[in-house]
Amino acid sequence: MTTPLICNNYINGQWKSAATAILESRNPANKDEVVATFVRSTTADVDAAVAAARQAYRSWRLVPAPARAEYILKVGELLGQHKEELAQLISREMGKPLLEARGDVQEGIDCAFYSAGEGRRLFGQTVPSEMPNKFAMTVRMPIGVCALITPWNFPVAIPCWKIMPALVCGNTVILKPAEDSSACATKLVEIFAQAGLPPGVVNLVHGIGEEVGKALVEHPNVDLVSFTGSSETGAQVGAICGRTYKRTCLEMGGKNAQIVMEDADLQLAVDGAVWGAFGTAGQRCTATSRLLLHREIKEKFTAMLKERTSKLRLGAGTDPHTDVGPIVNERQLQRVKRYVEIARQEGATVLIGGEIAGEEQLQNGYFFQPTILDRVKPKMRVAQEEIFGPVVALIEVNSFEEAIAVLNDTNYGLSSSIYTRDINRAFAAIRDIEAGITYINGPTIGAEVHLPFGGVKHTGNGHREAGTTALDIFTEWKTVYVDFSGSLQRAQIDNRG
Ligand code: ADP
């Protein structure tokens, strides 16, 4: 067992050891292993980080965007050099299998190279003026100090998605990572520090969400909050930001569905369902939690899915033989268990799994068996509420129209998928599904960094991370008029007689 990593705050270019209490982050595959100890920061730490970010903003916003981007390029290169070390740490700290953990880091690397390219774009528009000798254009302006509040399920990728475009756009940031991924966040910020960023441009404050996260959201000197987490917490964050006039980007829950039509390639659809439902033990906001199966293929598909699911190997993420890792912590494990009980009470049946894993070698971790719930009805709680675990609900549908109606019948709208060989249905699904992301013949998970990411309804608040749309989160538009006529010209004067 390795010695726990000591995770300090990073404020104004300095690592600050804890003046206050210390918390622990443990390996969910082995609760005896303390992966890291981290600072339980106070509002004083938050004040110091915000002051540093505010001070740094004065000069950082004036650094040319291509030069700002060079730092991000450097971060991308360093992430590449530290990829394996970071992946191992991700697996140990939050449990996902190594293959996925490497993907998490790779997403950060991809994001670095993509965001760095934006340093030489950040395009605005030039627009004709309605008057002679007058020039009109739009330019992107940074917003200021950004509080970035992140979850544990993509402990490297999600902070990168936020920090990188924020910095390229000329903002300074304070990262408040999830308690369960404090070590990953610390290693990531070490890499940003190594890239030589000026002090105060990136700050890190560890601690408890209700304490440090809330203090950041309420802070009068924070201009923007970008939050990824549960819809319940997101609603609270959004309410405070509304009251305090902050720009807010919220990425919240999902209840993603995959439709399988009667003409689908069933093998492909099963492959997609297994990966979508049980990848990262179902702990992705894009995880497949409902399978909407056309009645003609339901029996066959279910048998194939059950057979594949029965072969999945539960284990520590760091074990190369593992297909499905642990649940992140005890609270989440109990939540998953509770939902399976609710499903049973509501009349669903457990086709496979449904229990906390009983194998001796798994006793010391938070392992839940990959679970298929059958006979689920669209209005049951397990078909409506986010579970965030390796649990998928099977719902039978009689037609394409019914499948779309059931898919849309939740408060969430992040990812979605349909397996069909019928091009007309595929395009009708693209049009009619209420979600930020729709996959045709692919699982609900697998976003790429150069495309917009986000959802509708209670999943988001209209923003899209990643892609060029990330720039719309981290900049304000300024409209500029340059009058070179030498005389007063008045707009909106009706001179048509
Ligand atoms: P989860 O259910 O996965 O823990 P949360 O939405 O509670 O999801 O947490 C996501 C992030 O939000 C974490 O970094 C957490 O510390 C932070 N957080 C939790 N509560 C609050 C809050 N009241 N205000 C701001 N941030 C919070």
Side-chain angles (χ1 to χ4, degrees), residues 149-152 176-179 207-214 217 227-231 233-234 236-237 331-332 388:
I149 301 176
T150 54
W152 47 265
K176 169 19 214 143
E179 295 86 320
I208 294 175
E210 293 78 17
E211 298 172 4
V212 188
K214 191 156 180 275
V217 175
F227 167 88
T228 300
S230 63
S231 291
T233 307
Q236 293 169 28
V237 168
R331 183 171 59 91
Q332 280 297 122
F388 229 62

Side-chain angles (χ1 to χ4, degrees), residues 178-189:
E179 295 86 320
D180 287 313
S181 58
S182 302
C184 296
T186 306
K187 281 285 166 201
L188 178 65
V189 170

